[in-house]
Amino acid sequence: MALTLRSPTSFISKALKPSHKPTTSDEPTSLISFISLQKPSFTASSSCRLKAVQVRASSNDLSPVPAERLHPESKAVRAAHSGSTRVPVYVMLPLDTIFKGNDGKGAVNRARALNVSMMALRSAGVEGIMADVWWGLVERDGPMKYDWEGYAELVRMAERNGLKMQMVMSFHQCGGNVGDSCSIPLPPWVLEEMSRDPDIVYTDRSGRRNPEYISLGCDELPVLRGRTPIQVYSDYMRSFRDRFSNYLGNVIVEIQVGMGPCGELRYPSYPESNGTWKFPGIGEFQCYDKYMKASLQASAIAAGHSEWGKGGPHDAGQYNQFPEDTGFFKREGTWNTEYGQFFLSWYSEKLLQHGDRILTAADSIFSSTGAKLSAKVAGIHWHYRTRSHAAELTAGYYNTRNRDGYIPIAKMLAKRGVVMNFTCMEMKDEQQPGHAGCAPELLVEQVKKAASSAGVELAGENALERYDEAAYAKVLETSRSETGMGLSAFTYLRMNKRLFEEANWRQFVSFVKAMGEGGRKSTLPRCDTSQSDLYVGFVNKVERKPEPEAAAAL
């Protein structure tokens, strides 16, 4: 999920060259296409005809504009929205939604196609969209030199389409993870600091450096040109707040604070880049940069066992091994000894402290804006059925057969009123490979109980792209409050071309409708005769010229 390089400087030159350079004239590979320019053979009834909304030329104009809708909501949709059991659905935008334009400023990628896609989502009853606010794009030109232009354009577009926004403060790199379709490294000036001091990034036992995210070991050290990472993140969030103050709390309703790789509160213990890790490997501990090693040594001395501070467990194995292949994670392994408990407590506590530092800063910045704060926790479900829960331990979640590792996380989030966003909501135990010891359903139930115990809101996401009825049915089941603690919101991964295919779109619209009714199963009619939900793709084939506005969206 990140570059894994032994040389402290070898990743710099590559990271400065994005692997994908989108343009506004690209074929909309991840967005909806209603009418083909080559074969303009589709039409729909006048009640469902789409027109792309013109985007304002000036990206400095942040004045509110009236929202435009494809057609009015039906009574059923309005009733669902007002119900107390309603679970709002958001949709993640493509990772490359914002890019560096030809003028050197941020811009919306394939803006017209994105606008039409937003119209379709809103018509389907979707509450809003989620967008990554990439540190590597916004602060790329130098410390505290922020470029919000592309995001300003995106926020205005969402408002015009009547959509709310979840904005992710993405302090990690894009590239090397499951589903990553582009490369957005950390800011160039940060990469330069990494080359000077490679220990500011996570490091494994073999010395592999991982430049996906700054090591939490230097959270409070001025390693970024005189500022600490926490100060850098705070300045970034404060600038975002000041730029979008008129939209926070009304259009931008949630700020998800990134706290690790993939924006998740965890260590990068299972990096897929370069084939370092493959499912269902146990991963490796990431505590071998000099700052983490100094902290471990100090904690070991304080515990009266200086010999415990020389490094991580020597018998924890390698990325792609299984628990029983190692001395540390096997059934009666070192994990359950006094030393194992000391190390795992230190390792997990460092992660909790990291999360608390960033969320404390975020709370002070956004507390008066009306926008919620949220934090993402990874759904690491493989080897869950073993005693040690090895894959969770290497990621920083001290969760074993004998200890609940999610209650401390939930309590830390509850202190700041932060929503706990958890993944793998669509997965069933029976669908996973038997040899991997997977139990996503049991894991989700444990997390729901932890959130309920701590009094924190729980929201969800799907971990993998799914379009089938079984996946939607599982999310519906999990979201219902009558089955225990329900979900406060669900974010669907992700908007792309496949979502708008005929069969997939019908499944999705039906799912959104059911979530709006509190998770109760509902079925859409074959035709949209009531004008309640736009059904993209189910149109009559007749030869006619495309609408100019719709054709322009391609």
Side-chain angles (χ1 to χ4, degrees):
M1 300 178 73
L3 298 174
T4 52
L5 302 147
R6 298 178 186 275
S7 169
T9 59
S10 60
F11 61 87
I12 298 299
S13 60
K14 292 183 178 179
L16 292 176
K17 297 179 180 179
S19 63
H20 172 69
K21 185 177 181 180
T23 65
T24 53
S25 60
D26 281 349
E27 174 69 17
T29 55
S30 58
L31 303 175
I32 183 170
S33 174
F34 287 95
I35 300 176
S36 170
L37 289 175
Q38 288 74 30
K39 297 181 179 180
S41 59
F42 300 111
T43 185
S45 64
S46 59
S47 63
C48 292
R49 187 166 297 145
L50 298 175
K51 295 185 178 181
V53 179
Q54 183 180 358
V55 180
R56 285 184 181 172
S58 172
S59 56
N60 294 320
D61 181 8
L62 287 178
S63 58
V65 296
E68 293 190 30
R69 298 182 53 87
L70 185 63
H71 51 65
E73 284 183 334
S74 67
K75 292 181 180 179
V77 173
R78 287 196 300 271
H81 286 196
S82 62
S84 59
T85 60
R86 173 178 173 267
V87 182
V89 175
Y90 292 78
V91 175
M92 294 185 199
L93 294 184
L95 294 169
D96 62 350
T97 294
I98 303 298
F99 75 109
K100 183 179 178 180
N102 294 330
D103 61 354
K105 296 182 179 180
V108 175
N109 194 20
R110 301 181 294 270
R112 291 181 176 179
L114 178 60
N115 186 70
V116 175
S117 299
M118 285 189 186
M119 293 170 70
L121 293 177
R122 183 57 182 145
S123 180
V126 168
E127 182 80 2
I129 53 177
M130 172 180 277
D132 286 282
V133 184
W134 295 109
W135 182 26
L137 287 178
V138 173
E139 203 174 352
R140 64 184 178 275
D141 293 333
M144 303 187 76
K145 295 180 181 179
Y146 306 109
D147 174 14
W148 300 112
E149 299 312 306
Y151 291 100
E153 183 182 351
L154 182 64
V155 170
R156 289 194 299 272
M157 187 183 296
E159 185 192 38
R160 278 193 293 269
N161 284 287
L163 293 170
K164 306 298 185 183
M165 294 196 73
Q166 298 169 322
M167 303 289 271
V168 185
M169 302 291 104
S170 296
F171 298 117
H172 61 286
Q173 80 168 19
C174 176
N177 300 320
V178 176
D180 283 357
S181 57
C182 63
S183 175
I184 304 174
L186 300 187
W189 60 274
V190 174
L191 298 181
E192 291 174 6
E193 295 305 311
M194 289 180 180
S195 68
R196 294 190 184 99
D197 182 3
D199 280 291
I200 70 174
V201 301
Y202 287 115
T203 308
D204 66 16
R205 184 178 179 84
S206 299
R208 294 183 184 89
R209 305 290 189 183
N210 189 324
E212 185 176 359
Y213 186 80
I214 301 292
S215 169
L216 61 81
C218 54
D219 270 355
E220 298 179 294
L221 300 174
V223 296
L224 296 178
R225 299 194 180 181
R227 290 185 296 165
T228 70
I230 299 299
Q231 288 174 332
V232 171
Y233 303 150
S234 299
D235 290 339
Y236 183 91
M237 291 187 287
R238 191 174 296 109
S239 176
F240 177 89
R241 179 202 64 190
D242 294 344
R243 181 64 194 271
F244 297 98
S245 59
N246 291 336
Y247 290 86
L248 285 164
N250 46 71
V251 177
I252 303 172
V253 296
E254 182 178 321
I255 301 295
Q256 186 172 114
V257 184
M259 295 183 286
C262 290
E264 298 167 334
L265 178 64
R266 65 173 177 86
Y267 293 98
S269 57
Y270 48 98
E272 282 199 313
S273 178
N274 300 328
T276 302
W277 172 89
K278 293 182 180 179
F279 176 85
I282 57 176
E284 290 191 21
F285 293 112
Q286 306 292 310
C287 58
Y288 292 90
D289 64 77
K290 68 182 181 183
Y291 302 107
M292 291 290 283
K293 288 169 70 174
S295 172
L296 177 59
Q297 183 67 62
S299 295
I301 293 173
H305 290 276
S306 60
E307 70 276 12
W308 289 352
K310 296 179 180 180
H314 70 280
D315 56 351
Q318 297 177 348
Y319 285 104
N320 294 310
Q321 289 186 293
F322 276 53
E324 292 304 313
D325 297 333
T326 73
F328 191 84
F329 296 115
K330 66 183 181 180
R331 183 182 177 90
E332 301 297 339
T334 316
W335 65 272
N336 205 26
T337 64
E338 184 181 1
Y339 162 71
Q341 292 167 2
F342 158 78
F343 174 78
L344 293 171
S345 295
W346 168 81
Y347 191 67
S348 60
E349 185 62 29
K350 291 289 288 184
L351 187 66
L352 287 172
Q353 291 171 357
H354 173 67
D356 189 58
R357 290 188 193 105
I358 298 180
L359 292 176
T360 297
D363 183 46
S364 67
I365 293 167
F366 293 108
S367 60
S368 61
T369 64
K372 286 184 177 181
L373 291 180
S374 70
K376 188 174 178 181
V377 178
I380 303 173
H381 57 84
W382 53 103
H383 303 302
Y384 186 88
R385 295 185 183 276
T386 65
R387 288 194 174 189
S388 64
H389 293 229
E392 292 165 88
L393 296 185
T394 57
Y397 304 157
Y398 191 178
N399 190 56
T400 68
R401 183 72 60 86
N402 310 322
R403 186 181 189 277
D404 192 320
Y406 296 99
I407 287 179
I409 296 174
K411 287 182 176 179
M412 184 270 291
L413 300 178
K415 283 197 309 181
R416 309 290 172 192
V418 177
V419 178
M420 186 176 186
N421 191 354
F422 198 71
T423 61
C424 73
M425 292 291 178
E426 83 286 9
M427 293 183 173
K428 291 186 177 182
D429 295 354
E430 63 190 34
Q431 297 171 338
Q432 311 307 314
H435 70 284
C438 300
E441 291 178 285
L442 293 177
L443 174 59
V444 168
E445 285 305 308
Q446 181 184 354
V447 169
K448 290 179 73 172
K449 290 177 181 178
S452 178
S453 174
V456 65
E457 278 188 44
L458 181 66
E461 295 180 4
N462 50 312
L464 302 174
E465 290 182 9
R466 295 282 295 273
Y467 308 95
D468 57 290
E469 186 174 2
Y472 289 134
K474 184 58 189 176
V475 175
L476 290 169
E477 176 188 331
T478 304
S479 70
R480 289 197 297 267
S481 57
E482 60 261 31
T483 61
M485 182 176 184
L487 300 181
S488 62
F490 179 80
T491 303
Y492 177 81
L493 180 155
R494 162 182 325 269
M495 179 196 288
N496 58 31
K497 212 168 189 178
R498 290 192 64 192
L499 175 62
F500 295 105
E501 292 175 1
E502 179 175 331
N504 294 342
W505 181 250
R506 284 195 61 81
Q507 293 278 17
F508 178 73
V509 172
S510 180
F511 166 70
V512 173
K513 181 178 177 63
M515 292 288 275
E517 296 173 350
R520 294 188 298 277
K521 179 62 179 171
S522 64
T523 302
L524 286 181
R526 181 63 179 168
C527 299
D528 185 24
T529 55
S530 65
Q531 301 183 9
S532 60
D533 295 285
L534 174 67
Y535 173 23
V536 177
F538 185 57
V539 290
N540 299 320
K541 290 188 177 182
V542 297
E543 292 293 333
R544 63 169 291 170
K545 294 181 179 180
E547 293 266 88
E549 296 86 352
L554 298 179

